């Protein structure tokens, strides 16, 4: 097999150099070592790798390895291998959403790592001539209610999706009519991997690019007068997904606008 171009994302430099030495001894080329998202994006742009080896816990990065993998996959389709000491089910489930080629636990054995990398890349290559990948595809074909086939849904045209028992209601930019599909939201949500989609709750997935207004317990999407209700307990978490500008306060602790209130 040809030598592989491998990007390492690891903020512990001793470990990163150890990995690079092991990979190069196995005949591969290390395109670079990144410690955070910006470094990884630059290395992918300048020298696209065949495969990425990522640690999940990164002390020198605002995003963890899974978050970085999600953003890299939006720009360049390639196999991901996680090399981490984290074996918690929550972490593994998050990692599964990026469809990694392998999930290896530290400490690793150099010989086994080389084998896993080769197998991961071969398996990845074998799937490239099959059907489009729903995780990275711009659109999905979803089963229509009452067995009438499948309908194409462009991901970025989705305003929001709401669970309705065994079905899901999909609201689109292109039509005022709600579309009903015979599939639970919990299964479909994993295919909306771009960062503009936010899971407000177990029953609501919203496209943040179309949120026109947010209130405690309600959000409004572009072109729709009706608000969508959600639990008030989710309000603060929802706010953090939006670039909200807070009203500045005066020295007396009141909002700046209060200075212009009429005196009584």
């Amino acid at each position: 097999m040809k030598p592989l171009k491998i990007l390492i994302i690891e903020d512990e430099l001793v470990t990163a150099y150890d990995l690079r030495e092991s990979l190069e001894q196995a005949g591969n080329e290390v395109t670079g070592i990144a410690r955070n998202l910006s470094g990884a994006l630059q290395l992918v742009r300048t020298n696209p790798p065949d495969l990425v080896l990522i640690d999940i816990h990164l002390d020198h990065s605002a995003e963890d390895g899974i978050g970085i993998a999600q953003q890299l996959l939006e720009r360049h389709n390639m196999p991901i291998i996680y090399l981490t000491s984290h074996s918690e089910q929550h972490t593994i489930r998050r990692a599964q959403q990026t469809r990694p080629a392998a999930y290896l636990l530290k400490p690793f054995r150099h010989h086994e790592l080389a084998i896993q990398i080769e197998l991961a890349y071969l398996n990845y290559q074998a799937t490239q001539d099959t059907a489009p990948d729903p995780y990275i595809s711009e659109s999905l074909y979803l089963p229509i209610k009452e067995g009438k086939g499948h309908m194409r849904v462009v991901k970025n045209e989705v305003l929001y999706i709401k669970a309705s028992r065994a079905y899901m209601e999909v609201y689109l930019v292109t039509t005022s009519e709600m579309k009903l599909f015979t599939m639970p939201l919990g299964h479909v949500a994993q295919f909306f991997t771009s960062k503009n989609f936010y899971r407000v709750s177990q029953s609501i997935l919203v496209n943040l690019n179309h949120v026109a207004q947010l209130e405690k317990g309600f959000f409004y999407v572009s072109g729709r007068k009706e608000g969508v209700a959600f639990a008030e307990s989710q309000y603060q978490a929802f706010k953090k997904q939006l670039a909200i500008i807070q009203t500045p306060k005066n020295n007396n602790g009141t909002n700046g606008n209060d200075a212009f209130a009429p005196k009584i």
Side-chain angles (χ1 to χ4, degrees):
M1 192 177 78
K2 70 170 186 174
L4 296 177
K5 296 166 61 176
I6 301 173
L7 169 61
I8 298 173
I9 302 177
E10 167 67 69
D11 65 346
E12 292 293 338
L13 293 181
V14 173
T15 302
Y17 294 147
D18 189 30
L19 284 169
R20 182 171 66 183
E21 181 180 0
S22 177
L23 295 172
E24 290 177 343
Q25 286 179 352
N28 299 299
E29 173 192 348
V30 174
T31 62
I33 296 172
R35 306 180 77 186
N36 51 40
L37 176 61
S38 60
L41 289 175
Q42 181 178 356
L43 288 169
V44 168
R45 281 194 299 267
T46 56
N47 191 5
D50 296 316
L51 180 144
V52 183
L53 194 61
I54 306 180
D55 189 7
I56 291 179
H57 182 72
L58 302 169
D59 288 328
H60 297 85
S61 173
E63 300 84 4
D64 67 2
I66 300 173
I68 291 176
Q70 289 172 333
Q71 298 206 41
L72 291 181
L73 290 172
E74 291 177 10
R75 296 163 172 82
H76 183 52
N77 192 19
M78 56 197 165
I80 300 289
I81 292 181
Y82 292 112
L83 184 61
T84 180
S85 58
H86 290 267
S87 58
E88 302 88 350
Q89 286 301 312
H90 171 70
T91 302
I92 293 173
R93 284 195 295 270
R94 283 186 60 225
Q96 286 174 340
Q97 294 181 9
T98 63
R99 302 190 69 186
Y103 191 100
L104 308 179
L105 295 177
K106 294 179 180 178
F108 62 90
R109 294 184 176 89
H110 294 276
H111 178 63
E112 290 181 1
L113 178 62
I115 294 173
Q116 290 291 343
I117 286 174
E118 183 173 344
L119 289 175
Y121 184 74
L122 289 174
N123 289 335
Y124 167 80
Q125 287 294 100
T127 63
Q128 292 309 289
D129 296 329
T130 61
D133 188 339
Y135 287 88
I136 61 175
S137 176
E138 294 181 355
S139 59
L140 300 172
Y141 284 82
L142 301 175
I144 303 172
K145 190 174 182 289
E146 299 174 353
K148 296 181 180 179
H150 291 73
M151 174 181 165
R152 180 173 179 259
V153 172
V154 178
K155 292 179 181 178
N156 284 332
E157 292 180 357
V158 171
L159 293 169
Y160 66 95
I161 303 175
K162 188 175 181 179
S164 178
R165 297 183 180 179
Y167 303 99
M168 63 178 185
E169 303 171 359
V170 178
Y171 297 82
L172 300 167
V173 175
T174 53
T175 177
S176 59
E177 181 184 355
M178 177 267 293
K179 301 296 182 181
L180 193 63
F181 296 96
T182 56
M183 188 168 285
L185 174 58
H187 177 68
V188 175
Q190 66 181 310
F191 303 112
F192 289 82
T193 56
S194 59
K195 59 184 179 181
N196 57 298
F197 284 98
Y198 173 60
R199 192 81 177 268
V200 180
S201 65
Q202 291 298 314
S203 59
I204 300 175
L205 176 73
V206 62
N207 187 341
L208 297 175
N209 289 342
H210 295 298
V211 174
Q213 185 176 338
L214 177 65
E215 300 174 3
K216 185 173 290 187
F218 287 91
F219 68 86
Y220 297 80
V221 293
S222 305
R224 304 294 172 100
K225 295 181 179 180
E226 301 80 12
V228 182
F230 65 95
E232 290 190 10
S233 59
Q234 302 296 327
Y235 178 62
Q236 293 300 326
F238 200 159
K239 283 179 62 178
K240 292 179 181 179
Q241 311 304 315
L242 306 173
I244 293 177
I245 304 298
Q246 303 291 344
T247 304
K249 293 182 180 295
N250 292 322
N251 292 335
N252 62 7
T254 61
N255 289 337
N257 293 335
D258 293 343
F260 301 95
K263 295 182 179 180
I264 300 175

